[in-house]
Amino acid sequence: MRLRALLENDALGLRLLGGGDELDRGVRGVMTTDLRDPSRYLSGGELVLTGLAWRHSPEDSEPFVRILAAAQVAAVAAGEAELGAVPEDLVAACERHRLPLFAVNESVAFATITEYVVRQVSGERAGDLAAVVDRHRRLMTSGPAGGGPDAVLDLLGSDLDLRAWVLSPTGRLIAGAEGPPPAPVRAALAGDHLAAVRGGRPGPHRAVVESTAYSLFPVGGAAGKGAVPGAADARGSVLSGWLLAVEADAGDWPAERLDLLQGVTQLIAVERERREADRTVRRRLAQEVLELVQTSAAPAEIAARLRAAAPVLLPGLEAAPHWQVVVARVEWESGGAGAETGAAAQALLEEILVDPAAPGPEPADRIAVARAGGEAIALLPLPPAPSAEGAPAVHEGLHADALLASAGEPLTAGLAGDGRLTIGVSASVSSAEGLRGALEEARHARRVAAARPGRVSAAGHHELASHVLLLPFVPDDVRRAFTARLLDPLREYDRRHRAELVPTLEAFLESDGSWTRCAQRLHLHVNTLRYRVGRIEQLTGRDLSRLEDKLDFFLALRMS
């Protein structure tokens, strides 16, 4: 198709801002991105849709457009929802590089433009391409009548004899043909895919598991619109994207068939975007409850909000559920902003907490995950546990060791090199009064997980029994003595020498014992930080490389 066809379709509502003499350019595909440098996902001829989240200052436009022009994209379409109007610096940069620029009205969804372009491009192709993609509208219809992604994958099977499945980044089956690979194979495929994308290798990626060859296609590009919302860092986007696994070796496929599969992934990306939008209500409910808990709201107010959330998360449940809190954090050794890492942790936690056995087409429909800085915090409802007559119901809830049973291997591959995922799980509580304690408990457990080796680690409330759960029952004079014994030598030294040992200790623990992050946080040289930590250990007789001593210091600081 030609660019001018976009302007001739009134339903798209596009306005041409520059490049009117280039409207005869051909369009071979469409890509949605907000990365500053999306070049690795471009092959030329794309219409690039962008919400402008990459633009933080006028100076950002020139390098962004230069990258697109070098990749030989067909044009850029910029949404007006974020900034209200397309900035002049972007218009000028596109004129310098002779790159056509369209404005997308905020009332027009990127999915509408994607659907139109894919339909037009698909209609111009021959043979098996037209036979399958021309019927892609069935993908956009949810429920049994349309079939969603399963409808398109069924067409791949019936028309092209290709067995294919859509998998999550942990290997969870989202859609696909009957008789999918077993869970260990799917996990291995997801791990291979994440490792390949993190390594910068262009798709499709070839994988051989148990003597069977598969071709792995990123769904919509690792940094497409279906990726982590608001994450400018491609590392987080990689960890949240779906993949299309085809039981075939695409190495000797003709270009037309590869184009077909790329078109299918773009259609599935639209479905991924729809499901992402469906999570908005649950995220908002979790955010509201979290803000009430963290601002010391009255238990009655929190309880009222929980009652409002329960029907959304557990439809048809008559009795009030128990609740469990799960906290996750994604950290990169090379740094990353709190909002970016929080978004990545939110997407990962939503994926990890999915219950594949839950009824209905959306197994994640009971998960509500909020964000607080770099943390993702899940509010997980649990149906009341059965109990004997006259005995209180006891709900064990989710166990930390079960969380990563299938997800640990692929996520480790995706985090390899410079990333970590740590998770903490609280005990279940049955009232608003217990929610604050559950949040603190989950955060303590995550710190325990962070003290362990490995790229992916989780810890539960059972591992805090000797510290957190018993402290409220310790007499006040014992607690004061415990705190004084650990912190008074440091306070006295700080009073005499202005050494700031106590703030250094607190920052060191909050950085999970990372010398680099702590030094950056305190604006110190690492050697200065090591000297201070060594002085802390000399004064207290403790060893900050030991988990037990770290926990004791952490609790002493929290009780002081």
Side-chain angles (χ1 to χ4, degrees):
M1 66 171 290
R2 303 294 175 183
L3 282 176
R4 64 176 66 257
L6 297 170
L7 288 176
E8 294 169 355
N9 188 331
D10 294 336
L12 299 181
L14 297 178
R15 301 196 321 278
L16 182 66
L17 301 182
D21 55 347
E22 302 285 340
L23 293 181
D24 285 328
R25 288 188 182 188
V27 180
R28 294 189 300 185
V30 61
M31 177 190 180
T32 303
T33 185
D34 275 317
L35 289 176
R36 287 190 178 92
D37 181 3
S39 56
R40 71 170 64 180
Y41 309 114
L42 297 171
S43 57
E46 294 93 348
L47 171 67
V48 174
L49 304 175
T50 178
L52 302 178
W54 50 265
R55 182 187 177 275
H56 301 294
S57 68
E59 290 73 23
D60 294 336
S61 292
E62 172 62 26
F64 179 76
V65 173
R66 188 189 314 119
I67 289 169
L68 298 187
Q72 298 183 331
V73 305
V76 179
E80 297 180 317
E82 182 75 16
L83 301 179
V86 177
E88 289 298 326
D89 47 274
L90 180 59
V91 177
C94 287
E95 288 179 352
R96 283 193 295 272
H97 292 275
R98 299 181 60 82
L99 187 62
L101 175 64
F102 299 93
V104 182
N105 189 278
E106 62 181 351
S107 64
V108 179
F110 282 0
T112 301
I113 301 173
T114 298
E115 179 187 0
Y116 174 76
V117 172
V118 172
R119 183 172 68 248
Q120 294 301 312
V121 172
S122 299
E124 296 169 359
R125 294 172 182 160
D128 58 3
L129 187 62
V132 177
V133 183
D134 276 350
R135 288 181 277 177
H136 78 282
R137 283 185 177 276
R138 294 173 61 185
L139 173 69
M140 307 301 296
T141 307
S142 60
D150 283 304
V152 170
L153 300 185
D154 287 346
L155 291 173
L156 287 179
S158 61
D159 291 23
L160 302 180
D161 197 26
L162 289 177
R163 283 162 46 86
W165 304 271
V166 179
L167 305 179
S168 78
T170 64
R172 176 174 61 89
L173 180 65
I174 296 170
E178 293 184 3
V185 173
R186 299 198 306 269
L189 292 175
D192 287 350
H193 167 75
L194 290 175
V197 177
R198 282 297 309 275
R201 304 205 307 268
H205 310 124
R206 184 177 185 274
V208 177
V209 182
E210 296 185 357
S211 302
T212 301
Y214 299 86
S215 296
L216 311 177
F217 295 79
V219 169
K225 186 154 181 147
V228 178
D233 195 323
R235 296 172 299 188
S237 299
V238 166
L239 292 171
S240 70
W242 290 355
L243 68 138
L244 177 66
V246 182
E247 192 179 71
D249 190 343
D252 56 354
W253 282 5
E256 291 79 6
R257 180 161 292 201
L258 286 173
D259 284 346
L260 165 63
L261 268 296
Q262 295 292 353
V264 168
T265 63
Q266 290 176 339
L267 297 176
I268 296 172
V270 176
E271 172 69 6
R272 173 143 176 29
E273 182 181 340
R274 182 191 68 77
R275 296 193 186 189
E276 183 72 20
D278 288 345
R279 289 180 172 178
T280 302
V281 173
R282 297 190 294 277
R283 286 174 173 171
R284 186 174 67 248
L285 286 171
Q287 200 71 41
E288 290 173 353
V289 173
L290 175 63
E291 290 173 0
L292 290 175
V293 171
Q294 295 195 135
T295 55
S296 302
E301 187 177 359
I302 300 176
R305 198 62 54 91
L306 288 175
R307 286 194 296 272
V312 175
L313 303 178
L314 287 176
L317 187 66
E318 297 180 359
H322 288 65
W323 299 91
Q324 202 167 9
V325 176
V326 183
V327 174
R329 183 183 287 270
V330 171
E331 295 176 302
W332 306 101
E333 293 174 5
S334 55
E340 295 171 2
T341 57
Q346 183 179 44
L348 279 180
L349 194 53
E350 286 172 335
E351 168 59 31
I352 291 171
L353 291 175
V354 167
D355 178 9
E362 292 284 357
D365 60 1
R366 63 182 60 190
I367 298 167
V369 183
R371 282 160 50 189
E375 283 185 335
I377 301 170
L379 187 65
L380 189 65
L382 306 168
S387 60
E389 186 175 352
V394 178
H395 206 307
E396 286 294 324
L398 183 69
H399 284 265
D401 54 1
L403 267 181
L404 303 176
S406 60
E409 179 182 344
L411 291 182
T412 297
L415 290 161
D418 64 346
R420 288 204 75 199
L421 169 66
T422 52
I423 300 174
V425 183
S426 78
S428 63
V429 296
S430 58
S431 66
E433 289 84 352
L435 207 54
R436 185 185 305 280
L439 175 58
E440 288 301 312
E441 192 173 70
R443 282 174 166 160
H444 291 325
R446 193 204 65 79
R447 292 181 183 275
V448 172
R452 295 171 175 166
R455 293 291 173 188
V456 180
S457 181
H461 62 94
H462 298 291
E463 300 173 65
L464 302 178
S466 63
H467 292 81
V468 177
L469 298 184
L470 296 181
L471 277 177
F473 305 99
V474 176
D476 288 343
D477 55 345
V478 176
R479 297 175 67 182
R480 283 192 296 269
F482 173 77
T483 302
R485 187 162 52 250
L486 282 176
L487 300 184
D488 279 1
L490 306 182
R491 290 169 176 157
E492 178 61 22
Y493 191 89
D494 282 349
R495 186 184 64 78
R496 290 189 327 224
H497 301 283
R498 298 182 181 179
E500 297 186 340
L501 295 185
V502 172
T504 299
L505 173 63
E506 190 167 9
F508 185 76
L509 295 175
E510 289 178 353
S511 301
D512 295 326
S514 168
W515 297 100
T516 302
R517 289 198 302 273
C518 184
Q520 291 174 346
R521 178 172 182 166
L522 295 174
H523 305 290
L524 296 175
H525 192 278
V526 173
N527 289 340
T528 304
L529 176 61
R530 291 185 184 278
Y531 172 81
R532 289 188 183 181
V533 170
R535 180 64 65 183
I536 291 170
E537 292 175 335
Q538 290 175 359
L539 292 170
T540 60
R542 299 297 184 106
D543 182 355
L544 277 168
S545 67
R546 298 179 67 249
L547 174 60
E548 293 83 355
D549 288 346
K550 284 181 182 178
L551 282 174
D552 285 344
F553 275 124
F554 178 79
L555 294 171
L557 287 168
R558 295 302 292 264
M559 290 188 297
S560 62

